């Protein structure tokens, strides 16, 4: 167990020594990390990445030349880093191909406009005074209070991003609850202004004062005291579901203040609302919108970013391939239990898809001779990061590859940051989970559990098309009939419960919008009835049902 509570192993023996010493040096050097130190390590990462630019990513060689990659990375290193949020620029230095995360110029313009609007509408405000006594006098700006929803951290981050996407499309100023976890995890995204409400804000009055949607609809959004609540959990009332009808937004546009709470990801469904689509679609490709927004909104604060950097250099830096494995058993009484069937599926999926080499029964003398001649530096290295509440998945995989030779003679390192045994919703667990999400986002190959919002975060931040681990239980004797995993079709998260409200006939949008949906909205691979955004080039699974089939079923 390292100072950070993380575990690691490697092979052969000489590599174990190198890995252990490297970890100790890194933790000693970075434990008291300041801004200059983090920037220095970022420059080192840039140089190392250039040296490794031809390494494997998703089983494909890098397309960029070492020389052009060096120029791009040098430009990234030499930009001005924001000392209040180092992750804002530095996270790109740890990615194989940072250029693919470049936002469209249209997004940059929209973002700059929103930042200026947020600063103008929040400057010098006493939010308690405004909320309690001046709400009907805020005539120049529209606001939306985002309350931290229920569920795990993945659900909360997905909901926050969805809320901002809606605010961006409708010119609303987002104000975020500061009582719970967000403020201690995330950077403030807007230079010159904060999206956090003060801790002493009268949060208990938010739901009490806000008009429910059914009442607001019955009053045609007039005489609602300029304040309406949106309750957008996975189970919704008829009235709350009307939020996803285009005509409802004629009324919501009249309301100065909204309150948002949700435990779901809704960007896919938001883009099926014609007027929201008209605003958001030009800003990002369908397969990038969550990725681009997450790079603005879901950045770890400096304390957590330093932790991410320490673990990155201890476990991932220099590897030819980074494999991320995320295990969560949804629908089980014990989310942290060890299921041997699921463990077998993990191995089968990783080996079948060549993320890990298969094993041999007997030692190959040529491997030992190669290690003797070339040492550690002469071997290909794979780093495997396992994230789970249950330690045993990591232990079993590590022991298997330590005790048996693999067919390629590859050096494989296994790492685990934490094994907390249960999901308790504590601040410590949220911090640990957020660090693990960011580390997984640097993976070249990512295996995530089906239906897991935890897994969707690194998938989206890293722009990775994952494989989805089948964690479903099957009747005894039928284990061999179930697939171990399913290839993903998108880098974007799944909207689990897209809602199917009955809308006015005139709310269906124009033909270009309907054609866009036919091309870019598909049923999720890992959740029947869910919807996710895809790029046309991201559709290896043409059997995935179209959005119309899903909503009509």
């Amino acid at each position: 167990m390292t100072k950070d509570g993380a575990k690691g192993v490697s092979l052969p023996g000489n590599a174990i020594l190198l890995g252990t010493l490297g970890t100790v040096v890194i933790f000693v050097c970075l434990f008291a990390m300041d801004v200059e130190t983090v920037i220095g390590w970022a420059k080192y990462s840039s140089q190392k990445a250039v040296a490794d630019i031809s390494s494997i990513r998703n089983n494909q060689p890098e397309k960029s030349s070492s020389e052009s990659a060096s120029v791009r990375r040098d430009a990234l290193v030499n930009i001005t880093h924001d000392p209040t949020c180092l992750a804002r620029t530095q996270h790109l230095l740890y990615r194989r191909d940072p250029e693919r995360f470049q936002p469209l110029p249209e997004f940059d313009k929209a973002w700059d406009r929103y930042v200026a609007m947020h600063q103008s509408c929040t400057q010098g405000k006493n939010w308690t005074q405004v909320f309690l006594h001046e709400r009907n006098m805020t005539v120049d700006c529209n606001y939306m209070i985002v309350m931290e929803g229920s569920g795990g951290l993945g659900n909360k981050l997905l909901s926050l991003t969805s809320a901002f996407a809606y605010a961006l499309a409708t010119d609303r100023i987002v104000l975020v609850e500061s009582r719970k976890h967000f403020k201690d995890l995330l950077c403030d995204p807007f230079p010159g202004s904060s999206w956090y409400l003060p801790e002493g804000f009268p949060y208990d009055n938010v739901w009490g004062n806000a008009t429910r949607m059914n009442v607001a609809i019955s009053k045609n959004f007039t005489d609602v005291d300029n304040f309406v609540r949106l309750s957008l959990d996975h189970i919704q009332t008829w009235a709350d579901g009307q939020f996803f009808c285009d005509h409802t937004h004629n009324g919501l546009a009249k309301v100065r203040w909204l309150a948002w709470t949700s435990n779901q990801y809704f960007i896919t469904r938001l883009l099926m609302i014609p007027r929201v689509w008209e605003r958001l679609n030009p800003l990002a490709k369908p397969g990038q919108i969550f990725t681009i927004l997450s790079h603005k909104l879901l950045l770890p604060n400096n304390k957590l970013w330093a932790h991410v950097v320490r673990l990155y250099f201890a476990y991932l830096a220099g590897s030819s391939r980074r494999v991320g494995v995320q295990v969560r058993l949804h629908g089980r009484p014990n989310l942290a239990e060890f299921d041997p069937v699921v463990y077998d599926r993990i191995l089968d999926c990783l080996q079948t898809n060549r993320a890990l080499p298969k094993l041999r029964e007997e030692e190959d003398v040529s491997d030992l001779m190669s290690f003797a001649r070339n040492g550690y530096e002469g071997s290909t290295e794979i780093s495997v990061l396992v994230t789970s509440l249950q330690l045993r998945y990591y232990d079993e995989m590590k022991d298997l590859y330590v005790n048996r030779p693999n067919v390629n003679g590859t050096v494989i390192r296994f790492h685990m940051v934490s094994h907390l045994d249960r999901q308790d919703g504590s601040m410590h667990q949220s911090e640990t989970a957020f660090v693990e999400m960011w580390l997984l986002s640097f993976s070249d190959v990512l295996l995530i559990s089906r239906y897991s919002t935890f897994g969707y975060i690194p998938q989206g931040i890293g722009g990775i098309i994952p494989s989805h681990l089948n964690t479903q239980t099957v009747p005894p004797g039928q284990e061999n009939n179930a697939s171990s995993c399913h290839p993903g079709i998108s880098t974007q998260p799944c909207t689990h419960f897209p809602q199917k409200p009955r809308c006015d006939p005139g709310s269906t949008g124009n033909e270009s919008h309907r054609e866009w949906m036919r091309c870019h909205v598909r049923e999720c691979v890992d959740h029947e009835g869910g919807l996710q955004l895809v790029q046309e080039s991201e559709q290896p699974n043409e059997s995935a049902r179209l959005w119309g089939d899903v909503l009509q079923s």
Side-chain angles (χ1 to χ4, degrees), residues 470-507:
N470 180 7
T471 59
Q472 291 180 299
T473 57
V474 296
Q478 298 185 23
E479 291 85 357
N480 294 332
N481 297 329
S483 299
S484 296
C485 62
H486 303 279
I489 59 172
S490 176
T491 63
Q492 302 299 282
C494 172
T495 296
H496 287 158
F497 300 96
Q499 308 302 317
K500 309 172 187 179
R502 291 188 177 182
C503 303
D504 289 351
S507 296

mmCIF file of all heavy atoms in Angstrom, residues 470-507:
data_model
loop_
_atom_site.group_PDB
_atom_site.id
_atom_site.type_symbol
_atom_site.label_atom_id
_atom_site.label_comp_id
_atom_site.label_asym_id
_atom_site.label_seq_id
_atom_site.Cartn_x
_atom_site.Cartn_y
_atom_site.Cartn_z
ATOM 1 N N ASN A 470 -20.422 -6.914 -19.289
ATOM 2 C CA ASN A 470 -21.709 -7.507 -18.933
ATOM 3 C C ASN A 470 -21.661 -7.959 -17.477
ATOM 4 O O ASN A 470 -21.006 -8.936 -17.143
ATOM 5 C CB ASN A 470 -22.001 -8.699 -19.854
ATOM 6 C CG ASN A 470 -23.335 -9.359 -19.543
ATOM 7 O OD1 ASN A 470 -24.117 -8.862 -18.719
ATOM 8 N ND2 ASN A 470 -23.603 -10.482 -20.191
ATOM 9 N N THR A 471 -22.356 -7.242 -16.614
ATOM 10 C CA THR A 471 -22.376 -7.576 -15.190
ATOM 11 C C THR A 471 -23.704 -8.204 -14.766
ATOM 12 O O THR A 471 -23.941 -8.402 -13.575
ATOM 13 C CB THR A 471 -22.142 -6.310 -14.337
ATOM 14 O OG1 THR A 471 -23.164 -5.345 -14.640
ATOM 15 C CG2 THR A 471 -20.779 -5.710 -14.627
ATOM 16 N N GLN A 472 -24.549 -8.529 -15.724
ATOM 17 C CA GLN A 472 -25.845 -9.100 -15.389
ATOM 18 C C GLN A 472 -25.700 -10.538 -14.902
ATOM 19 O O GLN A 472 -24.847 -11.298 -15.381
ATOM 20 C CB GLN A 472 -26.778 -9.066 -16.599
ATOM 21 C CG GLN A 472 -27.222 -7.669 -16.991
ATOM 22 C CD GLN A 472 -28.142 -7.694 -18.188
ATOM 23 O OE1 GLN A 472 -27.765 -8.146 -19.273
ATOM 24 N NE2 GLN A 472 -29.364 -7.197 -18.003
ATOM 25 N N THR A 473 -26.551 -10.905 -13.974
ATOM 26 C CA THR A 473 -26.594 -12.284 -13.514
ATOM 27 C C THR A 473 -27.364 -13.134 -14.524
ATOM 28 O O THR A 473 -28.258 -12.643 -15.216
ATOM 29 C CB THR A 473 -27.276 -12.384 -12.140
ATOM 30 O OG1 THR A 473 -28.593 -11.826 -12.238
ATOM 31 C CG2 THR A 473 -26.484 -11.630 -11.086
ATOM 32 N N VAL A 474 -27.006 -14.398 -14.632
ATOM 33 C CA VAL A 474 -27.691 -15.323 -15.532
ATOM 34 C C VAL A 474 -28.041 -16.582 -14.749
ATOM 35 O O VAL A 474 -27.419 -16.890 -13.729
ATOM 36 C CB VAL A 474 -26.808 -15.689 -16.744
ATOM 37 C CG1 VAL A 474 -26.534 -14.459 -17.594
ATOM 38 C CG2 VAL A 474 -25.484 -16.304 -16.294
ATOM 39 N N PRO A 475 -29.042 -17.332 -15.194
ATOM 40 C CA PRO A 475 -29.415 -18.570 -14.497
ATOM 41 C C PRO A 475 -28.253 -19.552 -14.462
ATOM 42 O O PRO A 475 -27.421 -19.585 -15.382
ATOM 43 C CB PRO A 475 -30.583 -19.109 -15.332
ATOM 44 C CG PRO A 475 -31.122 -17.913 -16.057
ATOM 45 C CD PRO A 475 -29.943 -17.036 -16.317
ATOM 46 N N PRO A 476 -28.145 -20.344 -13.399
ATOM 47 C CA PRO A 476 -27.079 -21.349 -13.309
ATOM 48 C C PRO A 476 -27.057 -22.252 -14.541
ATOM 49 O O PRO A 476 -28.090 -22.670 -15.041
ATOM 50 C CB PRO A 476 -27.444 -22.138 -12.042
ATOM 51 C CG PRO A 476 -28.276 -21.190 -11.232
ATOM 52 C CD PRO A 476 -29.037 -20.360 -12.211
ATOM 53 N N GLY A 477 -25.851 -22.505 -15.017
ATOM 54 C CA GLY A 477 -25.680 -23.359 -16.183
ATOM 55 C C GLY A 477 -25.706 -22.620 -17.501
ATOM 56 O O GLY A 477 -25.402 -23.199 -18.545
ATOM 57 N N GLN A 478 -26.062 -21.333 -17.498
ATOM 58 C CA GLN A 478 -26.133 -20.566 -18.738
ATOM 59 C C GLN A 478 -25.052 -19.495 -18.821
ATOM 60 O O GLN A 478 -25.110 -18.604 -19.667
ATOM 61 C CB GLN A 478 -27.508 -19.915 -18.878
ATOM 62 C CG GLN A 478 -28.647 -20.906 -18.966
ATOM 63 C CD GLN A 478 -29.976 -20.218 -19.226
ATOM 64 O OE1 GLN A 478 -30.041 -19.103 -19.751
ATOM 65 N NE2 GLN A 478 -31.065 -20.895 -18.858
ATOM 66 N N GLU A 479 -24.069 -19.588 -17.916
ATOM 67 C CA GLU A 479 -23.030 -18.564 -17.884
ATOM 68 C C GLU A 479 -22.287 -18.446 -19.206
ATOM 69 O O GLU A 479 -21.914 -17.354 -19.637
ATOM 70 C CB GLU A 479 -22.029 -18.852 -16.758
ATOM 71 C CG GLU A 479 -22.575 -18.691 -15.352
ATOM 72 C CD GLU A 479 -23.288 -19.965 -14.864
ATOM 73 O OE1 GLU A 479 -23.397 -20.929 -15.654
ATOM 74 O OE2 GLU A 479 -23.732 -19.980 -13.713
ATOM 75 N N ASN A 480 -22.060 -19.561 -19.875
ATOM 76 C CA ASN A 480 -21.283 -19.544 -21.105
ATOM 77 C C ASN A 480 -22.048 -18.978 -22.293
ATOM 78 O O ASN A 480 -21.474 -18.736 -23.353
ATOM 79 C CB ASN A 480 -20.795 -20.957 -21.440
ATOM 80 C CG ASN A 480 -19.799 -21.476 -20.417
ATOM 81 O OD1 ASN A 480 -19.083 -20.694 -19.782
ATOM 82 N ND2 ASN A 480 -19.753 -22.793 -20.236
ATOM 83 N N ASN A 481 -23.361 -18.795 -22.126
ATOM 84 C CA ASN A 481 -24.162 -18.272 -23.233
ATOM 85 C C ASN A 481 -24.197 -16.740 -23.266
ATOM 86 O O ASN A 481 -24.661 -16.146 -24.234
ATOM 87 C CB ASN A 481 -25.600 -18.794 -23.126
ATOM 88 C CG ASN A 481 -25.666 -20.309 -23.246
ATOM 89 O OD1 ASN A 481 -24.856 -20.907 -23.937
ATOM 90 N ND2 ASN A 481 -26.632 -20.919 -22.574
ATOM 91 N N ALA A 482 -23.747 -16.110 -22.197
ATOM 92 C CA ALA A 482 -23.793 -14.646 -22.115
ATOM 93 C C ALA A 482 -22.487 -14.046 -22.630
ATOM 94 O O ALA A 482 -21.399 -14.557 -22.352
ATOM 95 C CB ALA A 482 -24.026 -14.209 -20.670
ATOM 96 N N SER A 483 -22.593 -12.964 -23.384
ATOM 97 C CA SER A 483 -21.404 -12.274 -23.884
ATOM 98 C C SER A 483 -20.656 -11.628 -22.726
ATOM 99 O O SER A 483 -21.261 -11.111 -21.784
ATOM 100 C CB SER A 483 -21.803 -11.204 -24.897
ATOM 101 O OG SER A 483 -22.456 -11.775 -26.013
ATOM 102 N N SER A 484 -19.339 -11.637 -22.814
ATOM 103 C CA SER A 484 -18.531 -11.018 -21.754
ATOM 104 C C SER A 484 -18.639 -9.504 -21.775
ATOM 105 O O SER A 484 -18.695 -8.855 -20.737
ATOM 106 C CB SER A 484 -17.072 -11.440 -21.900
ATOM 107 O OG SER A 484 -16.939 -12.825 -21.721
ATOM 108 N N CYS A 485 -18.651 -8.934 -22.969
ATOM 109 C CA CYS A 485 -18.741 -7.485 -23.097
ATOM 110 C C CYS A 485 -19.261 -7.148 -24.480
ATOM 111 O O CYS A 485 -19.310 -8.006 -25.371
ATOM 112 C CB CYS A 485 -17.377 -6.826 -22.860
ATOM 113 S SG CYS A 485 -16.093 -7.292 -24.050
ATOM 114 N N HIS A 486 -19.643 -5.900 -24.646
ATOM 115 C CA HIS A 486 -20.182 -5.427 -25.918
ATOM 116 C C HIS A 486 -19.409 -4.185 -26.349
ATOM 117 O O HIS A 486 -19.159 -3.294 -25.534
ATOM 118 C CB HIS A 486 -21.665 -5.084 -25.786
ATOM 119 C CG HIS A 486 -22.502 -6.218 -25.292
ATOM 120 N ND1 HIS A 486 -22.954 -7.225 -26.114
ATOM 121 C CD2 HIS A 486 -22.955 -6.510 -24.048
ATOM 122 C CE1 HIS A 486 -23.661 -8.085 -25.396
ATOM 123 N NE2 HIS A 486 -23.676 -7.680 -24.142
ATOM 124 N N PRO A 487 -19.038 -4.100 -27.625
ATOM 125 C CA PRO A 487 -18.331 -2.899 -28.080
ATOM 126 C C PRO A 487 -19.239 -1.692 -28.047
ATOM 127 O O PRO A 487 -20.416 -1.761 -28.408
ATOM 128 C CB PRO A 487 -17.920 -3.258 -29.515
ATOM 129 C CG PRO A 487 -18.901 -4.297 -29.949
ATOM 130 C CD PRO A 487 -19.248 -5.073 -28.711
ATOM 131 N N GLY A 488 -18.716 -0.567 -27.581
ATOM 132 C CA GLY A 488 -19.489 0.658 -27.551
ATOM 133 C C GLY A 488 -19.652 1.251 -28.932
ATOM 134 O O GLY A 488 -18.984 0.842 -29.899
ATOM 135 N N ILE A 489 -20.544 2.231 -29.040
ATOM 136 C CA ILE A 489 -20.786 2.893 -30.322
ATOM 137 C C ILE A 489 -20.511 4.393 -30.238
ATOM 138 O O ILE A 489 -20.673 5.098 -31.230
ATOM 139 C CB ILE A 489 -22.229 2.658 -30.813
ATOM 140 C CG1 ILE A 489 -23.242 3.194 -29.799
ATOM 141 C CG2 ILE A 489 -22.463 1.193 -31.105
ATOM 142 C CD1 ILE A 489 -24.689 3.164 -30.300
ATOM 143 N N SER A 490 -20.105 4.880 -29.059
ATOM 144 C CA SER A 490 -19.948 6.324 -28.912
ATOM 145 C C SER A 490 -19.016 6.649 -27.757
ATOM 146 O O SER A 490 -18.855 5.861 -26.828
ATOM 147 C CB SER A 490 -21.317 6.973 -28.668
ATOM 148 O OG SER A 490 -21.195 8.363 -28.423
ATOM 149 N N THR A 491 -18.457 7.833 -27.830
ATOM 150 C CA THR A 491 -17.686 8.373 -26.707
ATOM 151 C C THR A 491 -18.590 9.058 -25.686
ATOM 152 O O THR A 491 -18.123 9.429 -24.610
ATOM 153 C CB THR A 491 -16.660 9.407 -27.215
ATOM 154 O OG1 THR A 491 -17.366 10.502 -27.809
ATOM 155 C CG2 THR A 491 -15.721 8.793 -28.246
ATOM 156 N N GLN A 492 -19.857 9.248 -26.024
ATOM 157 C CA GLN A 492 -20.760 10.050 -25.201
ATOM 158 C C GLN A 492 -21.563 9.194 -24.225
ATOM 159 O O GLN A 492 -21.872 8.028 -24.510
ATOM 160 C CB GLN A 492 -21.705 10.842 -26.100
ATOM 161 C CG GLN A 492 -20.979 11.748 -27.081
ATOM 162 C CD GLN A 492 -20.117 12.795 -26.404
ATOM 163 O OE1 GLN A 492 -20.628 13.803 -25.910
ATOM 164 N NE2 GLN A 492 -18.802 12.589 -26.379
ATOM 165 N N PRO A 493 -21.940 9.745 -23.070
ATOM 166 C CA PRO A 493 -22.713 8.984 -22.090
ATOM 167 C C PRO A 493 -24.091 8.598 -22.621
ATOM 168 O O PRO A 493 -24.612 9.193 -23.572
ATOM 169 C CB PRO A 493 -22.841 9.956 -20.907
ATOM 170 C CG PRO A 493 -21.737 10.941 -21.083
ATOM 171 C CD PRO A 493 -21.564 11.076 -22.557
ATOM 172 N N CYS A 494 -24.680 7.631 -21.963
ATOM 173 C CA CYS A 494 -26.028 7.177 -22.291
ATOM 174 C C CYS A 494 -27.048 7.937 -21.453
ATOM 175 O O CYS A 494 -26.866 8.112 -20.246
ATOM 176 C CB CYS A 494 -26.147 5.671 -22.018
ATOM 177 S SG CYS A 494 -27.822 4.994 -22.170
ATOM 178 N N THR A 495 -28.111 8.391 -22.086
ATOM 179 C CA THR A 495 -29.264 8.922 -21.370
ATOM 180 C C THR A 495 -30.170 7.739 -21.045
ATOM 181 O O THR A 495 -30.846 7.205 -21.928
ATOM 182 C CB THR A 495 -30.018 9.963 -22.218
ATOM 183 O OG1 THR A 495 -29.166 11.085 -22.445
ATOM 184 C CG2 THR A 495 -31.291 10.423 -21.527
ATOM 185 N N HIS A 496 -30.155 7.313 -19.795
ATOM 186 C CA HIS A 496 -30.844 6.077 -19.416
ATOM 187 C C HIS A 496 -32.354 6.156 -19.590
ATOM 188 O O HIS A 496 -32.983 5.199 -20.037
ATOM 189 C CB HIS A 496 -30.529 5.743 -17.953
ATOM 190 C CG HIS A 496 -29.147 5.239 -17.736
ATOM 191 N ND1 HIS A 496 -28.511 5.290 -16.514
ATOM 192 C CD2 HIS A 496 -28.258 4.675 -18.587
ATOM 193 C CE1 HIS A 496 -27.301 4.768 -16.615
ATOM 194 N NE2 HIS A 496 -27.117 4.398 -17.867
ATOM 195 N N PHE A 497 -32.921 7.281 -19.194
ATOM 196 C CA PHE A 497 -34.383 7.417 -19.206
ATOM 197 C C PHE A 497 -34.752 8.669 -20.012
ATOM 198 O O PHE A 497 -34.960 9.745 -19.444
ATOM 199 C CB PHE A 497 -34.912 7.516 -17.772
ATOM 200 C CG PHE A 497 -34.573 6.313 -16.931
ATOM 201 C CD1 PHE A 497 -33.463 6.322 -16.099
ATOM 202 C CD2 PHE A 497 -35.350 5.162 -16.989
ATOM 203 C CE1 PHE A 497 -33.132 5.218 -15.334
ATOM 204 C CE2 PHE A 497 -35.028 4.055 -16.223
ATOM 205 C CZ PHE A 497 -33.920 4.073 -15.402
ATOM 206 N N PRO A 498 -34.835 8.547 -21.344
ATOM 207 C CA PRO A 498 -34.996 9.734 -22.190
ATOM 208 C C PRO A 498 -36.364 10.400 -22.115
ATOM 209 O O PRO A 498 -36.546 11.487 -22.660
ATOM 210 C CB PRO A 498 -34.723 9.200 -23.599
ATOM 211 C CG PRO A 498 -35.003 7.742 -23.524
ATOM 212 C CD PRO A 498 -34.641 7.317 -22.136
ATOM 213 N N GLN A 499 -37.349 9.777 -21.464
ATOM 214 C CA GLN A 499 -38.700 10.338 -21.323
ATOM 215 C C GLN A 499 -39.431 10.360 -22.673
ATOM 216 O O GLN A 499 -38.829 10.600 -23.714
ATOM 217 C CB GLN A 499 -38.676 11.728 -20.704
ATOM 218 C CG GLN A 499 -37.898 11.829 -19.395
ATOM 219 C CD GLN A 499 -38.451 10.882 -18.325
ATOM 220 O OE1 GLN A 499 -39.651 10.756 -18.161
ATOM 221 N NE2 GLN A 499 -37.547 10.231 -17.594
ATOM 222 N N LYS A 500 -40.734 10.114 -22.594
ATOM 223 C CA LYS A 500 -41.547 10.035 -23.805
ATOM 224 C C LYS A 500 -42.826 10.860 -23.632
ATOM 225 O O LYS A 500 -43.936 10.321 -23.670
ATOM 226 C CB LYS A 500 -41.900 8.587 -24.104
ATOM 227 C CG LYS A 500 -40.710 7.627 -24.110
ATOM 228 C CD LYS A 500 -41.166 6.184 -24.210
ATOM 229 C CE LYS A 500 -39.998 5.219 -24.052
ATOM 230 N NZ LYS A 500 -40.418 3.811 -24.117
ATOM 231 N N PRO A 501 -42.712 12.155 -23.431
ATOM 232 C CA PRO A 501 -43.917 12.958 -23.219
ATOM 233 C C PRO A 501 -44.726 13.117 -24.502
ATOM 234 O O PRO A 501 -44.190 13.033 -25.605
ATOM 235 C CB PRO A 501 -43.372 14.305 -22.758
ATOM 236 C CG PRO A 501 -42.036 14.393 -23.426
ATOM 237 C CD PRO A 501 -41.507 12.991 -23.448
ATOM 238 N N ARG A 502 -46.013 13.317 -24.339
ATOM 239 C CA ARG A 502 -46.856 13.652 -25.478
ATOM 240 C C ARG A 502 -46.802 15.162 -25.683
ATOM 241 O O ARG A 502 -47.196 15.931 -24.823
ATOM 242 C CB ARG A 502 -48.295 13.204 -25.228
ATOM 243 C CG ARG A 502 -48.463 11.694 -25.226
ATOM 244 C CD ARG A 502 -49.929 11.298 -25.160
ATOM 245 N NE ARG A 502 -50.081 9.851 -25.225
ATOM 246 C CZ ARG A 502 -51.261 9.234 -25.224
ATOM 247 N NH1 ARG A 502 -52.382 9.952 -25.148
ATOM 248 N NH2 ARG A 502 -51.317 7.922 -25.286
ATOM 249 N N CYS A 503 -46.295 15.558 -26.817
ATOM 250 C CA CYS A 503 -46.082 16.972 -27.096
ATOM 251 C C CYS A 503 -47.064 17.447 -28.159
ATOM 252 O O CYS A 503 -47.650 16.647 -28.905
ATOM 253 C CB CYS A 503 -44.658 17.218 -27.573
ATOM 254 S SG CYS A 503 -43.387 16.651 -26.402
ATOM 255 N N ASP A 504 -47.236 18.764 -28.257
ATOM 256 C CA ASP A 504 -48.065 19.334 -29.310
ATOM 257 C C ASP A 504 -47.518 18.936 -30.674
ATOM 258 O O ASP A 504 -46.293 18.839 -30.863
ATOM 259 C CB ASP A 504 -48.075 20.861 -29.196
ATOM 260 C CG ASP A 504 -48.864 21.346 -27.998
ATOM 261 O OD1 ASP A 504 -49.548 20.506 -27.365
ATOM 262 O OD2 ASP A 504 -48.791 22.558 -27.681
ATOM 263 N N PRO A 505 -48.401 18.698 -31.647
ATOM 264 C CA PRO A 505 -47.936 18.287 -32.983
ATOM 265 C C PRO A 505 -46.921 19.242 -33.592
ATOM 266 O O PRO A 505 -46.037 18.837 -34.341
ATOM 267 C CB PRO A 505 -49.237 18.258 -33.801
ATOM 268 C CG PRO A 505 -50.308 18.035 -32.789
ATOM 269 C CD PRO A 505 -49.862 18.758 -31.553
ATOM 270 N N GLY A 506 -47.023 20.524 -33.261
ATOM 271 C CA GLY A 506 -46.089 21.489 -33.836
ATOM 272 C C GLY A 506 -44.731 21.515 -33.176
ATOM 273 O O GLY A 506 -43.891 22.356 -33.522
ATOM 274 N N SER A 507 -44.490 20.597 -32.210
ATOM 275 C CA SER A 507 -43.233 20.610 -31.453
ATOM 276 C C SER A 507 -42.198 19.638 -32.007
ATOM 277 O O SER A 507 -41.199 19.370 -31.355
ATOM 278 C CB SER A 507 -43.507 20.260 -29.983
ATOM 279 O OG SER A 507 -44.316 21.248 -29.381
#
